[in-house]
């Protein structure tokens, strides 16, 4: 008869506890390596949480911000008389109709004139369409005062209560007190556009010397119309207005319900989210590889556990639990750290795109998703090696050898070894790196992905800069000056001469136009009501153009004899898929004109069409705007100011003056944000890659302890061991660098092609040498840092113990 | 005994290991003097202190007290780096499990000590091949260790131990992993090396070692139990 045990359940319970004690002690014993793994998953989770959090907040907030302004469905350029307004308000299917004017004025900043968009509002108190919100100061602005958009505050140096000097065309400049600041989320940030934004009543606007007439009718289409329904309704109303004797110049309908920058924001965030997920996947694979190495070293212990009765599932569960624990710990550390970073990134994007984060809270689903990823990614990645290790038989596990296999004599190894020259230590280092090929490939992939992004991003920037630079080389003038009203050429040239600052000048004509899809004189432009992107201008070129030389891509440039002929720029050509010989209908001030395309030119930082100046006068009935392209005398200091003063003295109004340096800066500024974010993603990957390398080197040193002992016993001094291990790290880094160059090439090409479809101009295929050099410096530093500790540890190994290592 | 001809002098050496279970005295007051060209076998049961003694001779470990000098140079008192450098030039070590580095070819394994000590800089490979022919496996020079049999690997390990022409060759159970035929071939190789002026010290369990060794030192519990000179005549060169 058997004796009763103290408790039947105790042995089972205790055995379970013992298992977990073993697990805990194993984790503790490899604390250094586990911390590295923790840091690797943590860094990747941080990236994912920041990107996903920012994505969730920004997409929500952009929508909230934009829809909160109650954007008009469309805007019709027409003189808004009470009759017009009444007709629109009572028109079937129109929910709201409001008058508004948006005009280009100029504001004085530090003695120079800067472009300023002036928004004239009928009634600040009852305004319902395209609203903006007061930030500070007096609302609504009193008569004779104006509000300034908050982001324009610093750009024009405005202060509440202080005066800003505004000038509309050739009218006298008027000092206007700033009553306060507003936030208008539909506008691109003032610093990006290098423009001021002012808001005033019609009464105040009249002080600038302009006729008190609203030029735009903004409408909101009833219900939830589609884009086509909006377009149709706007056209219908426009025709009805024309039937009533009003003159409709243009119809503009922005993409429905979309912030001007929404697509840009979503695409860039989604791209960076993809990169963060990629880094998490790579980190998980890294953890799996480190785990596989640990399992190999633990195979005897696994054998012993199985010999004393452990089932495969029990062993598997233990190691999976360890991974889950590691992932959860990483999540616990990095998620809280990532939250403020995500909010910060959202705010930064808000500042870049001019929207306000009204609610910075990250939705719960983001937390849930990242928390589950933190546990699931490492366990899923580690599953195969855990299953393999836990299913092994006792005899196999107990007899497993920890020796690392010799390399096969592959030709590649031969070639790489040849790099080492005569140094046996260097050959050893290179061959050691190639011993655990899977691990080495993982480290190389991690570092090379980062490198490819880094080199790709900076190369694309260099390519874009080269493109932007052609904006300077194809233009041989300094400043483009658009006059506010027509001036007789003789009077104009006399004023130009009088300034004594001009070396060369060309007089151009310019008029806003629309490439029409219909030919009845009315069409809808897909542009926002901020006079921003998407506008098309038709230029009247002088006969003897010499201040611009745009490269002709197809066909030819204008001849003085050309009539009904137009030269298009690549962008407008690419957009419509038009070829030389095609005819194109241009709507100018509501009138349709059919012209034949005779050439396509490449113009960076502009877009539109060119006809002869006489032709433009014919098309517009002599009502085209005047524009001067001016090359200043390089000897004259303050030439621009002298020039403007001379025009002003002659009573000639300037609507805008735009220097080509400003154009270049604006072009260059376009790619800074995505480039910075790509570089940040590259740094994240380099960090994970570095951590990966560090853990791989640590494992390698442990696995090769006995070999290192042998080396020391036959005369290797600690420095030689350090040199060997660091060389192994450097070799991996070097390989990753070479791979990253190869991987960067398709990235550069791909983004270049994307540029072609977005801007109509393929970016030149440039591989940035400084980027390659900097990245080499980064990976070399990363590899030295990553291998320093393992190398130091290896050099300190006690020979006797190292030789006894199993 | 010719006192001027000692290759190795071990004087009053004790070694104590501090372990979590308490102090463990591996060697107690051991003093021996070995002559140049002597073929010395160190025997004894497991735990008698054999491996500790040769670890001290090779500078792999340091005595707790006492002094060791090899070829007139005091080993004790050197730093780790100095010891490594000294070992590379003065001691050749042969291990039971051969311990060839698996990522280096046989020839490269032999060139490694030369590389580490900066010796034979103009003809390392030639010397490696020459040493390999001396141990009879020159045709294996460009193979990796895994491609060789145990006996061939041990010959390669001996060749590596000779790389820098050391005055002292130490082998720890060099035949422990070999069959009896190969064992006796390897032993003969050691014998012939001793005949060429190298002091050869081997730790072994081979029963017949006394027949070929010049001298057999038997250790027991960290003490020298017996120190016996062989009666066989020294083989001619």
């Amino acid at each position: 008869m058997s004796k009763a045990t103290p408790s039947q359940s105790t042995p089972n319970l205790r055995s379970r506890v013992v298992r977990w004690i073993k697990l805990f002690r194993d984790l503790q014993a490899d604390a250094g390596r586990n911390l590295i793994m923790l840091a690797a998953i943590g860094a990747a989770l941080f990236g994912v949480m920041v990107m996903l959090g920012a994505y969730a907040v920004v997409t929500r907030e952009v929508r909230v911000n934009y829809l909160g302004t109650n954007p008009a469905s469309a805007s019709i350029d027409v003189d808004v008389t009470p009759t017009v307004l009444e007709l629109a308000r009572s028109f079937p299917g129109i929910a709201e109709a409001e008058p508004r004017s948006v005009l280009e004025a100029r504001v004085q900043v530090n003695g120079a004139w800067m472009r300023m968009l002036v928004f004239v509002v009928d009634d600040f108190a009852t305004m319902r369409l395209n609203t903006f919100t007061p930030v500070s100061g007096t609302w609504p602005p009193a008569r004779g005062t104006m509000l300034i958009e908050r982001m324009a505050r610093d750009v024009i140096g405005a202060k509440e209560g202080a005066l800003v000097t505004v000038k509309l065309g050739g009218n006298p400049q008027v000092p206007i007190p700033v009553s306060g600041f507003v936030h208008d989320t539909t506008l691109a940030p003032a610093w990006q556009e290098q423009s001021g934004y002012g808001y005033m009543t019609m009464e105040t606007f009249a002080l600038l010397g302009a006729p008190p007439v609203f030029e735009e009718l903004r409408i909101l289409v009833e219900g939830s119309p589609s884009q086509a329904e909006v377009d149709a309704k706007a056209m219908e109303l426009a025709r009805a207005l024309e039937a009533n004797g009003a003159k409709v110049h243009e119809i503009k309908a922005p993409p429905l319900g979309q912030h001007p920058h929404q697509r840009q924001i979503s695409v860039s965030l989604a791209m960076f989210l993809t990169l963060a997920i990629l880094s998490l996947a790579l980190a998980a694979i890294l953890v799996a590889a480190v785990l596989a190495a640990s399992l190999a070293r633990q195979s005897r212990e696994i054998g012993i556990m199985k010999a004393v009765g452990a089932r495969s599932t029990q062993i598997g569960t233990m190691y999976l639990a360890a991974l889950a624990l590691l992932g959860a710990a990483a999540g616990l550390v990095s998620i809280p750290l990532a939250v403020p970073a995500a909010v910060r990134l959202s705010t930064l994007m808000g500042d870049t795109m001019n929207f306000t984060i009204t609610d910075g809270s990250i939705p719960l689903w983001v937390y849930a998703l990242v928390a589950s990823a933190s546990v699931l990614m490492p366990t899923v990645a580690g599953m195969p090696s855990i299953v393999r290790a836990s299913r092994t038989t006792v005899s196999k596990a107990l007899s497993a050898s920890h020796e690392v296999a010799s390399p096969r004599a592959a030709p590649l190894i031969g070639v790489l070894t040849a790099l080492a020259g005569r140094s046996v230590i260097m050959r050893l280092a290179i061959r050691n790196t190639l011993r655990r090929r899977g691990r080495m490939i993982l480290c190389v992939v991690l570092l090379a992905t980062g490198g490819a992004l880094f080199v790709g991003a900076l190369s694309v920037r260099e390519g874009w800069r080269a493109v932007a630079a052609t904006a300077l080389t194809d233009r041989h003038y300094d400043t483009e000056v658009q006059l506010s009203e027509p001036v007789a050429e003789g009077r104009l040239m006399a004023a130009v001469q009088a300034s004594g600052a001009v070396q060369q000048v060309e007089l151009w004509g310019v008029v806003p136009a629309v490439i029409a899809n219909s030919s009845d004189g009315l069409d809808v432009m897909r542009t926002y009501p901020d006079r921003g992107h998407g506008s098309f201008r038709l230029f009247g070129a002088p006969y003897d153009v010499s201040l611009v030389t745009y490269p002709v891509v197809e066909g030819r440039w204008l001849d003085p004899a050309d009539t009904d002929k137009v030269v298009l720029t690549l962008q407008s050509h690419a957009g419509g898929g038009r070829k030389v010989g095609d005819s194109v209908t241009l709507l100018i001030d509501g009138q349709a004109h059919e012209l034949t395309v005779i050439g396509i030119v490449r113009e960076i930082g502009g877009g539109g069409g060119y006809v002869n100046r006489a032709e433009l006068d014919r098309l517009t009935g002599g009502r085209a705007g005047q524009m001067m392209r001016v090359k200043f005398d390089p000897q004259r200091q303050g030439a621009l100011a002298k020039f403007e003063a001379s025009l002003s003295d002659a009573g000639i109004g300037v609507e805008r003056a735009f220097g080509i340096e400003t154009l270049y800066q604006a072009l260059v500024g376009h790619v800074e944000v995505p480039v910075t974010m790509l570089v940040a993603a590259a740094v994240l990957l380099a960090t994970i890659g570095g951590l990966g390398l560090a853990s791989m080197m640590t494992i390698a040193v442990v696995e090769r302890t006995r070999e290192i002992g042998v080396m020391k016993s036959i005369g290797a001094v600690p420095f030689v061991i350090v040199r060997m291990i660091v060389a192994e790290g450097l070799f991996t880094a070097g390989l990753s660098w070479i791979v990253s160059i190869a991987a960067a090439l398709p990235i550069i090409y791909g983004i270049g092609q994307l540029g072609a479809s977005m801007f109509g101009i393929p970016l030149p295929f440039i591989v940035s040498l400084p980027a390659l050099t900097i990245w080499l410096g980064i990976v070399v530093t990363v590899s030295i840092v990553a291998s320093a500790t393992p190398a130091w540890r290896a050099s300190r190994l006690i020979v006797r113990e190292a030789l006894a290592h199993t | 005994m010719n006192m001027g001809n000692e290759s190795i002098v071990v004087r009053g050496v004790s070694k104590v290991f501090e372990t979590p279970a308490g102090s463990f005295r591996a060697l107690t007051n051991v003093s021996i003097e070995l002559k140049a060209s002597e073929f010395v076998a160190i025997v004894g049961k497991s735990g008698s202190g054999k491996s500790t003694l040769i670890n001290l001779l090779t500078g792999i470990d340091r005595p707790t007290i006492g002094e060791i000098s090899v070829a007139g140079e005091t080993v004790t008192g050197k730093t780790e780096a100095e010891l490594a450098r000294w070992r590379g030039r003065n001691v050749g070590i042969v291990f039971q499990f051969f311990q060839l580095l698996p990522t280096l070819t046989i020839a490269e394994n032999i060139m490694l000590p030369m590389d580490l000590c900066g010796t034979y800089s103009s003809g390392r490979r030639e010397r490696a091949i020459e040493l390999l022919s001396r141990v009879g496996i020159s045709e294996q020079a460009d193979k990796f260790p895994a491609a060789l049999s145990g006996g061939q690997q041990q010959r390669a390990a001996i060749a590596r131990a000779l790389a820098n022409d050391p005055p002292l060759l130490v082998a720890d159970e060099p035949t422990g992993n070999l069959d009896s035929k190969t064992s006796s071939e390897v032993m003969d190789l050691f014998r012939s090396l001793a005949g060429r002026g190298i002091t050869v010290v081997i730790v072994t369990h081979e029963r017949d070692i006394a027949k070929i060794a010049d001298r057999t030192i038997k250790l027991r519990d960290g003490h020298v139990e017996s120190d016996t000179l062989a009666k066989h005549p020294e083989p001619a060169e």
Side-chain angles (χ1 to χ4, degrees), chain B residues 3-11 34-36 67-76 78 86 90 167-168 199:
Chain B
M3 293 302 285
N5 198 21
E6 300 92 27
S7 171
I8 301 166
V9 179
V10 176
R11 198 166 289 136
L34 309 177
K35 284 183 283 186
E67 197 183 276
I68 297 168
S69 63
V70 175
E73 195 173 353
T74 308
V75 180
T76 37
K78 285 185 190 293
W86 169 82
N90 296 288
L168 172 63
T199 309

Side-chain angles (χ1 to χ4, degrees), chain A residues 606-685:
Chain A
Y610 293 90
V611 294
N612 282 319
R613 217 176 94 203
E615 174 75 358
L616 187 70
D617 286 340
R618 189 182 66 81
L619 294 173
T620 58
R623 289 198 304 274
Q626 282 169 310
M627 191 179 83
M628 280 187 290
R629 286 177 161 160
V630 187
K631 187 174 171 61
F632 293 118
D633 184 344
Q635 309 301 322
R636 294 297 297 265
Q637 296 288 312
L640 176 63
K642 287 196 179 74
F643 173 74
E644 289 223 25
S646 182
L647 290 188
S648 185
D649 291 348
I652 297 168
V654 169
E655 187 176 300
R656 66 189 297 198
F658 200 60
I660 55 168
E661 269 304 324
T662 317
L663 173 70
Y664 175 73
Q665 291 307 331
L667 286 172
V668 163
H670 268 79
V671 297
E672 286 310 306
V673 173
V675 165
T676 310
M677 288 188 75
L678 276 175
V679 168
V683 169
L684 177 71
L685 280 161

Side-chain angles (χ1 to χ4, degrees), chain A residues 553-570:
Chain A
V553 178
E554 202 185 325
R556 61 169 176 83
W557 183 250
L558 296 161
D559 264 353
D562 284 332
T563 50
D564 296 326
K565 304 277 193 300
V566 64
V567 170
L568 294 178
T569 55
L570 200 52

Side-chain angles (χ1 to χ4, degrees), chain A residues 422-440:
Chain A
R422 287 179 56 217
S423 166
V424 180
I425 299 294
M426 287 302 123
R427 281 187 208 183
L428 198 55
I430 289 175
R431 293 206 193 119
N432 281 337
T433 317
L434 299 168
R435 259 162 121 174
R436 294 287 198 182
R437 225 159 296 174
R439 281 185 212 166
M440 185 210 59

Side-chain angles (χ1 to χ4, degrees), chain A residues 22 72 201 289 335 341 347 372 426 433 435 457 500 534 621 653 661 694 736 744 792:
Chain A
K22 171 182 162 26
T201 60
I335 293 174
T347 315
S372 356
M426 287 302 123
T433 317
R435 259 162 121 174
E661 269 304 324
S736 85
W792 183 77

